[in-house]
Amino acid sequence: MNRIGNLFNFTIWGQSHAPAIGVTIEGLPTGFRPDWDRLSAFLARRAPGKNDLSTSRREADKTEVLSGLNPDGICCGSPMTVLIWNTNTRAGDYDELRRIPRPGHADYTAYIKYGAGRDVPGGGQFSGRLTAPLCVAGGLALQLLAEHGVSIQARAAAIGGETDPEAMRHAVETAKAAGDSVGGIIECICEGVPAGLGDPMFDGMENRLAQVLFGIPAVKGVEFGAGFGAAALRGSENNDPFYYDETDAIRTKTNHAGGILGGITTGMPLVFRVAVKPTPSIGIEQDSVDLKAHTNTKLTVQGRHDPCIVPRAVPVVEAAAACAIYDAGKEAGAWI
Amino acid sequence: MNRIGNLFNFTIWGQSHAPAIGVTIEGLPTGFRPDWDRLSAFLARRAPGKNDLSTSRREADKTEVLSGLNPDGICCGSPMTVLIWNTNTRAGDYDELRRIPRPGHADYTAYIKYGAGRDVPGGGQFSGRLTAPLCVAGGLALQLLAEHGVSIQARAAAIGGETDPEAMRHAVETAKAAGDSVGGIIECICEGVPAGLGDPMFDGMENRLAQVLFGIPAVKGVEFGAGFGAAALRGSENNDPFYYDETDAIRTKTNHAGGILGGITTGMPLVFRVAVKPTPSIGIEQDSVDLKAHTNTKLTVQGRHDPCIVPRAVPVVEAAAACAIYDAGKEAGAWI
Amino acid sequence: MNRIGNLFNFTIWGQSHAPAIGVTIEGLPTGFRPDWDRLSAFLARRAPGKNDLSTSRREADKTEVLSGLNPDGICCGSPMTVLIWNTNTRAGDYDELRRIPRPGHADYTAYIKYGAGRDVPGGGQFSGRLTAPLCVAGGLALQLLAEHGVSIQARAAAIGGETDPEAMRHAVETAKAAGDSVGGIIECICEGVPAGLGDPMFDGMENRLAQVLFGIPAVKGVEFGAGFGAAALRGSENNDPFYYDETDAIRTKTNHAGGILGGITTGMPLVFRVAVKPTPSIGIEQDSVDLKAHTNTKLTVQGRHDPCIVPRAVPVVEAAAACAIYDAGKEAGAWI
Amino acid sequence: MNRIGNLFNFTIWGQSHAPAIGVTIEGLPTGFRPDWDRLSAFLARRAPGKNDLSTSRREADKTEVLSGLNPDGICCGSPMTVLIWNTNTRAGDYDELRRIPRPGHADYTAYIKYGAGRDVPGGGQFSGRLTAPLCVAGGLALQLLAEHGVSIQARAAAIGGETDPEAMRHAVETAKAAGDSVGGIIECICEGVPAGLGDPMFDGMENRLAQVLFGIPAVKGVEFGAGFGAAALRGSENNDPFYYDETDAIRTKTNHAGGILGGITTGMPLVFRVAVKPTPSIGIEQDSVDLKAHTNTKLTVQGRHDPCIVPRAVPVVEAAAACAIYDAGKEAGAWI
C-alpha cells in the first residue's frame, strides 16, 4: 500500500487537507545524525511558490521529528516519524469537486474505490503534496548514500516536447497563458553506485526503482539506459563492451544498459528516465460527468495550478532513486 | 527476490541447466480446475524452435504438477508446484563463458554478485528459459481472469524500429544474416479489467505491473497509455474526458491514461508497452574482458541464438500482466 | 520490525522520551467512523496511575489523529496516523542507566544492538509505553470486530502464582512492600470469531496471534486452549468431539483446541493464555555490570515502578488479539 | 501462507498424497556446499517406521534437488527447490474421511475453509508429513549455523506428563495398548547464538521463533526461558543478574530470560519449550458428525497411527529453530 522497501522501508501517510502529512521510516542506521538544514534545502527544491510558474499554495514544508532520535539527535534504531503540518486545511466548499471528477485526476478512481468515504479536498491522499514525505525519506537516504560516495542528480530533459532550457521555459509560459499545462521527461543519473546491488527477477534494481517511481503522481513511463530507444538498435550497437580501465577496474565503453544487467548494478552510472504527464488541472473547460445528477457536464477547474510540475518533480525523482538504491545496498551489505 | 504477488503470489526457481525449472504458486482459488491443454497451448507460444528464426534448443516445456491439486484435479487450497524438467543439462564446456562475460548479458553481474559459486551454463538463473514458469503462473491467471471477462492480448508493436509486420520480419532476417540481433516494443491491451483495482502510491497498478514486467529479461522500459508520448502533450490533449455512455456507464472519450488514474484502474482498457532490448547473444566478435587473465580480449558467442526474442516475449508479457491483475483484483475482492 | 499485519497492518513508532509515540494504520475500512470516546475509555484501562499499585507517571494517553479521516470524521482509505504526545521528555540524568544495564530489561540488548546511538531515557523504544499505540490500533479493531459480533475479553488468571482475586491483590501488595514485583497469567477469550480464519502452516491463527502477543514486553509464553496442559492428556481426553447443536450448527463438546484446528478457527471460542514475567524494575539491590568501567557492580533501580503490570497488560492483550483476528478475517473475506 | 522468513526464507508445498512434497528456499549463501548425507541423517530422525511405536507408513524421505546448485554442487544464489516424492499416493477410499471429520484434526476446518475442493487423503496439506520439507530447510540452516558455532539440541522433556525416560516410554506403550495417544513437551537449547539477533516488537526472536514453531502441527504452546513458570516468580527471582566472566564477556548468572531480552538475544543459550498435544488419531471410538447426512455419528479412525509424535517432532523443533535463528542472524549481519 503506502509502504515500500525492505531493510530500509517507509510508510507515507496523510492527505492534502488532513492535519498533517508525514512518513514513518524503518532502517535508518543507528548512529546516523541527519543534517536537517540540508534536508530543508532539499525539500525547498520541491516546494511550491518558488516562482511565478508554480502553484500559489505556499507552505513551508517544515518538518517536525516525532521519534527515532536519541536526546543527542542521533538515530537510535527506532522508527523515525517525521511530519509536516498542513496549515491550509478543511476549509472551502468542495461540493463541485465531489460531484464532478476532474479529467486526468484520481477523483474518479478514488470515488470508485473509496466511495462516499473518500477524502475530497485537495485530492486527498492522491495530492502531489504527498511527495513531500517521500522527499523526507529520500533526502535522508541521499545523505546516507553521499557518505558512501553515491550521488544522484536528476534534471528536466524535456518539457512540452522541447529539450532546450529556453524552449522548455517558453513551452511552460505559453501553456500557462492558455490556461493549459505541459508534461516532460526527467532524466536521473546515479554515480558511484556499487556493482552488485539488486536481485534477479522481481527484485532487480529496475523493478525496485520502477516500483517507487510509479508512486510519484503523473509518472506514466520509466526506462533504463537506452530504454525504448534500445528497441530500435541492433545487439551489436546496444551491447556495452567490457574493458579494464587504467585502474584495472572493469567498465563498459558505452552504457546503454544504464548501469544494470540482469537486474543487478554493473558499477557504471545508473541512468533512467521517467515520463511525466502534463498536470491534469487546467483552466480550460473540459467535459466530465456529474456523479450525483448522473449527467454529462462541463468542468472548469478553479484556482491557480502549476502549469508544469516537472521542475518540482526533479528532486522527487532523486528522492525515489535514493530510497531504492539505499535499500538495495543495505540488503547487499554495501554500506558496511 | 524470485517471488512476487500478495494474495496471489508465486516463486520462480531453477536454472538453465539445473535438473528442472518451475514455479510454486500460492492463492489459486480452491475449486478451480486448470485446463492443462490450454496451458500447453499458451506455453507453446513462448517455446523456442517454432521457426527458422528462433533458437534451435527444442524443449517441449512439458509441465508436471507436483502439488496443489486434489485427486479430482481441482485446486485444493495448497500451494501448487509445477515443474518443467531440463532435458539438456550439465553438458558442455563452459570454461570460456566462465572467464569472458558476454556484453549485454548478466554474466558479469552474476560474477560480481555470486562469485565463483554462480551457475554459468546457459546463463544459470538469468536464462530466458525462466520465463517458462512465469508463463505457467500467468497462464493459470489468464484462465481465471477469463472466467471474469478479462482478456489480455499483447503483440509486437515494433521490431528493429519497424512497425509494419513485413518490415519487422525483414529486420529480423537481415539482422540474422549479419549474425546480429534486433529488439522491439510489445504492446499489451487488457480488456474487461474492473474499475477500482490497485492501491495508491507504491501498490498502484502501474507499480505492480512494472515490478513484474521488469522481471522479464531484456525489458528496459515500461510505459502506460500515452506514456513517454504524454510528456510532449498538453493537459488539454492528454486528459481523458469522462462521459456517460448509452448503458449509463462512465467511460472516457480517449484513453491516454491507459486505464489507470492515481494507480487505480478506471474500467477502460488497461494499455501498456514494454521496450525489449536486442538479444545480447550475437555471432559478431565483441570486446570483453578475461576475468581470469585480467586482460582485455575478444569474444564471439558460439552456437545459434534467437536473432529476436520479441515474438517469444509476447505471451510472457501477457502472463506478467495476468499475474499482476489477478492479484490486484483478488485484494480488491473483484473475483468473488 | 515494528510493523505487523497484512491487509490490516500497522507500524508502531516512538520512544519513551521522544516527542511522541504513535501508530500508522493501513487497512481501516473506508466509511468506518471511529468512536473516539470509546477508544479513550479503552486506553484508560491501560494507563498508569489509576491506583496506588501502579507507576506514578500520569500521562493521559490523549490521542491526536493526523491523517486517515475525511472532513466528516470517516475513514477515507488513507493510512491513519495517531499520535500521543510525550509530556515528560528529555529531562533527567540518565548517566547511570546508560552505564549499568538493569537485569531483566532490554538495556543490555539495546546496547549490543544499537551501541552508543541507542535511546536510553525511559527504556527508549523498549518502554512499556509503546503498548499505548498498540492499544490504539487494537481498540479500533475491537470496534470493527464488535460490528461483526466478535467480542474479546481478557482477565488476569493468575498473579504471583495466585488465582483468587483477593490473593492476587495481596501478592502484589506484599511484593510492593518488599520493593519487589510479581508476574502473572492473562487469559483471553474471543467469542463470535467466525470459523475459517487463519491459514495453514506459518499463517495460522496461532502463528499470527503469537507474533503480536510476543510483541508485548514481558510476555514469555503463549498457549492455546489446553496448551501446555494438553501435553499431559491422552488423545481421547484432549480431542474435542463434534456434534450438531439444536440450531444445526457444528460445535465441539469441549474446547481443548481453544477454537483452532490446523491453524484455522473452528467457530468455537478462541481461547489463549500468555505468561507475563514480573516487572524487572524493582527497588531491591541487584548485581549488574558497569559497561564503561568494565567491572561488576550493584544497581538499585530508582523511582517508583509498577510492582505488577498484569492488570495494565490485560487490555493490551485484548488489543493484540483484536488486531490479529481482524486482519485474518479481512484476508478470509469475513467482514463483508 | 506457507512461506516464512526474510533474507532466508522458504515456501513449503505438497500434500500427503500429492505426487510430491517439497520446499523452495531463498537466501542460501552462494558458495555453500550442502552435506546431503548429513541432511539424510537428520531427516531420518523425523522419519516414521523406526520402531514399533510409530506409524507403519515407511517412506524414506529421499530428497531430490531440482535447482539452486551449480554443476559442482555448490549453492549458486538461485532458489533451491528440494522435493520428496510421495510413493504412497492417491490410493484408497476416502469417502468416510470426507464425510466424518476426525476430532482434534484439521479435517473440519479444511472443510470450512476449502469446501469440496479440499484434498482429503492423508490429511492433505495438513499432514504431519509436511514437516519433512521443514526439516530440509532447517537441516541446511543447521549446517550453516554449525559453521558459525551455533548448535541446536532439542529433547523430549515430558511425555504423557512423565519426565523420566523410562516412564515416558511406559506412558506411550500404555496409551498404545489402549488404542490411545499421548502428548508431551519438547525443550530446545540453542548454544552459541550471538548476542544482538532479533528486532524489537514484532520481529523479536520470540516472535520469529513462535511463528515457525506454531507451524508444526500439534504445537499448542510456546514458552521461553522460565516461561509460564516466570509468571509465579518475583522480579528479584526472575531477573538474571549480569556479570563479567573470566574472559571479560558479559553473562548472566541465571537464564530465566531464555537468552532473550526485549526480543533480542543476549548471548546466553536460547532456551524454549513447546507443548505438543496428543496425536488426535486414536483407535478408540469417538463422537463426530456426518457432514453429508447432517447427523451426529460415531467414528473409529482406521489404520495404524503414532501413539506419540513427540520423539519424531524433536528434530522438527530443531529445524524450526534453526530457520528462525539463521534468518535473524542474516538480517543482523552475524554470519559474515
Side-chain angles (χ1 to χ4, degrees):
Chain A
M1 316 198 194
N2 282 36
R3 179 175 176 267
I4 196 159
N6 298 316
L7 297 189
F8 174 78
N9 69 69
F10 53 93
T11 305
I12 289 176
W13 46 267
Q15 307 110 255
S16 175
H17 285 53
I21 57 175
V23 62
T24 300
I25 309 169
E26 290 190 294
L28 288 167
T30 316
F32 167 56
R33 180 193 297 276
D35 181 335
W36 298 104
D37 290 339
R38 197 166 151 197
L39 184 73
S40 292
F42 181 68
L43 290 175
R45 289 174 55 202
R46 193 212 70 90
K50 285 177 302 183
N51 58 48
D52 58 331
L53 293 180
S54 68
T55 174
S56 59
R57 179 167 171 173
R58 294 168 181 280
E59 295 189 49
D61 285 353
K62 200 169 157 305
T63 57
E64 185 170 336
V65 183
L66 300 183
S67 68
L69 297 176
N70 73 13
D72 299 322
I74 288 173
C75 289
C76 66
S78 175
M80 176 181 285
T81 290
V82 182
L83 67 68
I84 297 169
W85 294 103
N86 284 327
T87 54
N88 182 10
T89 64
R90 299 297 178 220
D93 173 9
Y94 292 94
D95 181 55
E96 189 185 69
L97 189 52
R98 169 174 292 277
R99 282 188 298 113
I100 308 177
R102 292 167 293 175
H105 264 284
D107 296 346
Y108 175 63
T109 49
Y111 160 75
I112 290 292
K113 192 161 190 84
Y114 302 117
R118 74 193 186 282
D119 192 22
V120 171
Q125 63 180 300
F126 295 92
S127 166
R129 185 159 165 70
L130 272 291
T131 55
L134 175 55
C135 284
V136 171
L140 295 174
L142 281 166
Q143 293 182 19
L144 288 160
L145 288 171
E147 292 181 7
H148 296 278
V150 181
S151 69
I152 295 177
Q153 196 90 34
R155 66 180 183 96
I159 286 180
E162 305 291 342
T163 58
D164 169 79
E166 277 312 304
M168 289 191 214
R169 184 172 176 87
H170 184 69
V172 178
E173 287 167 344
T174 313
K176 188 190 177 191
D180 213 336
S181 65
V182 282
I185 292 171
I186 295 171
E187 182 173 79
C188 185
I189 300 179
C190 314
E191 310 236 27
V193 179
L197 306 201
D199 294 275
M201 216 160 281
F202 306 119
D203 264 344
M205 268 325 300
E206 287 140 330
N207 313 251
R208 289 164 179 259
L209 282 161
Q211 206 194 344
V212 195
L213 291 165
F214 280 116
I216 304 172
V219 168
K220 295 299 279 189
V222 173
E223 62 177 6
F224 295 88
F228 278 87
L233 296 179
R234 285 198 169 183
S236 58
E237 297 168 309
N238 187 62
N239 286 349
D240 302 310
F242 294 106
Y243 72 101
Y244 280 102
D245 73 5
E246 61 282 359
T247 69
D248 209 32
I250 295 173
R251 298 178 60 80
T252 58
K253 294 179 187 174
T254 51
N255 188 18
H256 296 111
I260 304 172
L261 285 174
I264 299 168
T265 54
T266 63
M268 293 294 291
L270 200 165
V271 182
F272 65 87
R273 270 170 307 282
V274 302
V276 178
K277 72 177 184 183
T279 328
S281 285
I282 55 175
I284 299 171
E285 188 185 77
Q286 299 175 83
D287 289 327
S288 187
V289 290
D290 186 317
L291 298 170
K292 201 168 171 191
H294 253 243
T295 55
N296 294 326
T297 187
K298 301 281 183 186
L299 172 73
T300 305
V301 180
Q302 303 300 327
R304 288 179 57 192
H305 296 280
D306 279 337
C308 181
I309 58 158
V310 173
R312 292 181 57 201
V314 166
V316 182
V317 166
E318 294 175 359
C323 292
I325 292 169
Y326 183 70
D327 183 35
K330 199 160 184 188
E331 271 184 73
W335 316 132
I336 294 166
Chain B
M1 316 197 197
N2 282 37
R3 179 174 177 267
I4 197 158
N6 298 317
L7 296 189
F8 174 77
N9 69 69
F10 53 93
T11 305
I12 289 175
W13 45 267
Q15 306 111 255
S16 174
H17 285 53
I21 57 176
V23 63
T24 300
I25 309 170
E26 290 189 295
L28 289 167
T30 315
F32 168 55
R33 180 194 297 277
D35 182 335
W36 298 103
D37 290 339
R38 195 166 152 198
L39 184 71
S40 293
F42 182 67
L43 291 175
R45 289 175 56 201
R46 193 213 69 92
K50 285 175 301 183
N51 58 48
D52 57 333
L53 291 180
S54 69
T55 174
S56 59
R57 179 168 171 172
R58 293 168 182 281
E59 296 187 48
D61 285 354
K62 201 170 158 302
T63 57
E64 185 171 336
V65 182
L66 300 184
S67 69
L69 297 176
N70 73 13
D72 299 323
I74 288 173
C75 289
C76 67
S78 175
M80 176 181 286
T81 291
V82 182
L83 67 69
I84 298 168
W85 294 104
N86 284 329
T87 55
N88 182 11
T89 64
R90 299 297 178 220
D93 173 9
Y94 292 95
D95 182 55
E96 190 185 69
L97 190 51
R98 168 173 292 277
R99 282 189 299 115
I100 309 177
R102 292 168 294 175
H105 263 285
D107 296 346
Y108 175 64
T109 48
Y111 160 75
I112 289 292
K113 194 163 188 82
Y114 303 118
R118 74 193 186 281
D119 192 22
V120 171
Q125 63 179 300
F126 295 93
S127 167
R129 186 158 166 69
L130 272 291
T131 55
L134 176 55
C135 283
V136 171
L140 295 174
L142 280 166
Q143 293 183 20
L144 288 160
L145 288 171
E147 291 181 8
H148 296 279
V150 181
S151 69
I152 295 177
Q153 196 90 31
R155 68 179 182 94
I159 287 180
E162 305 290 344
T163 57
D164 170 78
E166 277 312 304
M168 289 191 214
R169 184 174 176 85
H170 184 69
V172 177
E173 286 167 345
T174 312
K176 187 191 177 191
D180 214 337
S181 66
V182 282
I185 292 171
I186 295 171
E187 182 172 80
C188 185
I189 300 179
C190 314
E191 310 236 27
V193 178
L197 306 201
D199 294 274
M201 216 158 286
F202 306 119
D203 264 345
M205 266 327 297
E206 288 140 330
N207 312 251
R208 290 163 179 260
L209 281 161
Q211 206 195 343
V212 195
L213 291 165
F214 279 116
I216 304 172
V219 168
K220 295 300 280 187
V222 172
E223 62 177 8
F224 295 87
F228 279 87
L233 296 178
R234 286 197 167 183
S236 58
E237 298 167 309
N238 187 62
N239 286 349
D240 302 309
F242 295 105
Y243 72 101
Y244 280 102
D245 73 6
E246 61 283 359
T247 69
D248 208 32
I250 296 173
R251 298 177 61 78
T252 58
K253 293 178 187 176
T254 50
N255 189 19
H256 296 112
I260 304 172
L261 285 173
I264 299 168
T265 55
T266 63
M268 294 293 290
L270 199 164
V271 182
F272 66 87
R273 269 171 307 283
V274 301
V276 179
K277 72 176 182 184
T279 328
S281 286
I282 54 175
I284 299 172
E285 189 186 76
Q286 299 176 83
D287 289 326
S288 187
V289 291
D290 186 317
L291 298 169
K292 201 171 172 191
H294 254 242
T295 55
N296 294 325
T297 187
K298 302 281 183 185
L299 172 74
T300 305
V301 180
Q302 303 300 328
R304 287 178 58 191
H305 297 280
D306 279 339
C308 180
I309 58 158
V310 173
R312 292 180 57 201
V314 166
V316 182
V317 166
E318 294 175 359
C323 291
I325 292 169
Y326 183 70
D327 183 36
K330 201 161 181 185
E331 271 185 73
W335 317 131
I336 295 165
Chain C
M1 314 197 197
N2 282 38
R3 179 175 176 266
I4 196 160
N6 299 314
L7 298 188
F8 174 78
N9 69 70
F10 55 92
T11 306
I12 289 175
W13 45 267
Q15 307 111 253
S16 174
H17 285 53
I21 56 175
V23 63
T24 300
I25 310 170
E26 291 190 294
L28 289 167
T30 315
F32 167 56
R33 180 193 296 276
D35 182 333
W36 298 104
D37 290 338
R38 195 166 151 200
L39 184 71
S40 293
F42 182 67
L43 290 176
R45 289 175 55 202
R46 192 212 70 91
K50 286 175 302 182
N51 58 47
D52 58 333
L53 292 181
S54 67
T55 173
S56 60
R57 180 169 171 170
R58 293 168 183 279
E59 297 188 49
D61 286 353
K62 200 170 158 302
T63 58
E64 184 171 336
V65 182
L66 300 184
S67 69
L69 296 176
N70 73 13
D72 299 323
I74 288 173
C75 289
C76 67
S78 176
M80 175 180 286
T81 290
V82 182
L83 67 69
I84 297 167
W85 294 103
N86 284 328
T87 52
N88 182 10
T89 65
R90 300 300 177 216
D93 173 10
Y94 292 94
D95 182 56
E96 188 186 71
L97 190 51
R98 169 174 293 277
R99 283 189 299 113
I100 308 176
R102 293 168 293 176
H105 264 284
D107 296 346
Y108 175 64
T109 49
Y111 160 75
I112 289 292
K113 192 163 190 84
Y114 303 117
R118 73 193 186 282
D119 192 22
V120 171
Q125 62 180 300
F126 296 92
S127 165
R129 184 155 165 73
L130 273 291
T131 54
L134 175 55
C135 283
V136 172
L140 295 173
L142 280 166
Q143 293 182 20
L144 288 160
L145 287 171
E147 291 182 8
H148 296 279
V150 180
S151 69
I152 294 177
Q153 197 89 33
R155 66 178 183 95
I159 287 181
E162 305 290 343
T163 57
D164 170 79
E166 276 312 305
M168 290 191 214
R169 185 175 175 84
H170 184 69
V172 178
E173 287 168 344
T174 312
K176 188 190 178 192
D180 213 336
S181 66
V182 281
I185 292 171
I186 294 171
E187 181 172 80
C188 184
I189 300 179
C190 314
E191 310 237 26
V193 178
L197 305 202
D199 294 275
M201 217 159 283
F202 306 119
D203 264 345
M205 267 326 299
E206 286 140 333
N207 312 250
R208 291 163 179 260
L209 282 160
Q211 205 194 343
V212 195
L213 291 165
F214 280 115
I216 304 172
V219 168
K220 296 299 281 187
V222 172
E223 63 177 6
F224 296 87
F228 278 87
L233 296 179
R234 286 197 168 183
S236 58
E237 296 167 309
N238 186 62
N239 287 348
D240 302 309
F242 295 106
Y243 71 101
Y244 281 101
D245 73 5
E246 62 284 358
T247 70
D248 208 32
I250 296 172
R251 299 179 59 80
T252 57
K253 294 179 187 175
T254 51
N255 188 19
H256 296 111
I260 304 172
L261 285 173
I264 300 168
T265 54
T266 62
M268 293 295 290
L270 200 163
V271 182
F272 64 88
R273 268 171 307 282
V274 302
V276 178
K277 72 176 184 184
T279 328
S281 285
I282 54 175
I284 299 171
E285 188 184 76
Q286 299 175 83
D287 289 325
S288 186
V289 290
D290 186 317
L291 297 169
K292 201 170 171 190
H294 253 242
T295 54
N296 294 325
T297 187
K298 302 281 183 187
L299 173 73
T300 304
V301 180
Q302 303 300 329
R304 286 178 59 191
H305 297 279
D306 278 339
C308 181
I309 59 160
V310 173
R312 292 181 57 202
V314 166
V316 182
V317 166
E318 293 175 359
C323 291
I325 291 169
Y326 184 69
D327 184 35
K330 200 161 183 186
E331 272 184 73
W335 317 131
I336 296 168
Chain D
M1 315 197 195
N2 282 37
R3 179 175 177 266
I4 197 160
N6 299 316
L7 297 189
F8 174 78
N9 69 70
F10 54 92
T11 306
I12 289 175
W13 45 267
Q15 307 110 252
S16 175
H17 284 54
I21 57 175
V23 63
T24 299
I25 310 169
E26 290 190 295
L28 289 167
T30 316
F32 167 56
R33 180 193 296 278
D35 181 335
W36 298 104
D37 289 339
R38 197 167 150 197
L39 184 71
S40 293
F42 181 68
L43 291 175
R45 290 175 54 201
R46 191 212 72 91
K50 285 176 303 184
N51 58 48
D52 58 332
L53 292 180
S54 67
T55 173
S56 61
R57 179 168 171 174
R58 293 168 182 280
E59 297 188 49
D61 285 354
K62 202 172 157 301
T63 57
E64 186 171 336
V65 182
L66 300 183
S67 70
L69 297 176
N70 74 12
D72 299 323
I74 288 173
C75 288
C76 67
S78 175
M80 176 181 285
T81 290
V82 181
L83 68 67
I84 297 168
W85 294 104
N86 284 328
T87 53
N88 183 10
T89 64
R90 300 299 179 218
D93 173 11
Y94 293 95
D95 182 56
E96 188 185 71
L97 190 52
R98 168 174 293 278
R99 284 189 298 114
I100 308 176
R102 293 168 293 175
H105 264 283
D107 296 348
Y108 175 64
T109 50
Y111 160 76
I112 290 292
K113 191 161 191 84
Y114 303 117
R118 74 192 185 282
D119 192 22
V120 171
Q125 62 179 301
F126 296 92
S127 166
R129 186 158 165 70
L130 273 292
T131 54
L134 176 55
C135 283
V136 171
L140 295 174
L142 280 166
Q143 293 183 20
L144 288 160
L145 287 171
E147 291 183 8
H148 296 278
V150 181
S151 69
I152 295 176
Q153 197 90 33
R155 68 180 181 93
I159 287 181
E162 305 290 344
T163 57
D164 169 78
E166 276 312 306
M168 290 191 213
R169 184 173 176 87
H170 184 69
V172 178
E173 286 168 345
T174 312
K176 188 189 176 193
D180 213 335
S181 66
V182 282
I185 292 171
I186 295 171
E187 181 172 78
C188 185
I189 301 178
C190 313
E191 310 238 25
V193 178
L197 305 201
D199 294 273
M201 217 158 282
F202 306 119
D203 264 345
M205 269 324 301
E206 286 140 332
N207 312 250
R208 290 163 179 259
L209 282 160
Q211 205 194 344
V212 195
L213 291 165
F214 279 115
I216 304 172
V219 168
K220 296 299 279 188
V222 172
E223 62 177 6
F224 295 87
F228 278 88
L233 297 179
R234 286 199 168 184
S236 57
E237 298 167 309
N238 186 61
N239 286 350
D240 303 309
F242 294 106
Y243 72 102
Y244 280 102
D245 73 5
E246 62 283 358
T247 70
D248 208 33
I250 296 172
R251 299 178 61 78
T252 57
K253 294 179 188 176
T254 51
N255 188 18
H256 296 111
I260 304 172
L261 285 173
I264 299 168
T265 54
T266 62
M268 292 296 290
L270 200 164
V271 182
F272 65 88
R273 269 170 307 282
V274 301
V276 179
K277 73 177 184 184
T279 328
S281 285
I282 55 175
I284 299 172
E285 188 184 78
Q286 299 174 85
D287 288 327
S288 185
V289 291
D290 186 319
L291 298 169
K292 202 169 169 190
H294 254 241
T295 54
N296 294 325
T297 186
K298 301 281 183 185
L299 172 73
T300 304
V301 180
Q302 302 301 327
R304 287 178 57 191
H305 296 280
D306 279 337
C308 179
I309 58 158
V310 173
R312 292 181 58 201
V314 166
V316 181
V317 165
E318 294 175 0
C323 291
I325 292 169
Y326 184 70
D327 184 34
K330 201 162 182 186
E331 273 185 72
W335 317 131
I336 295 169

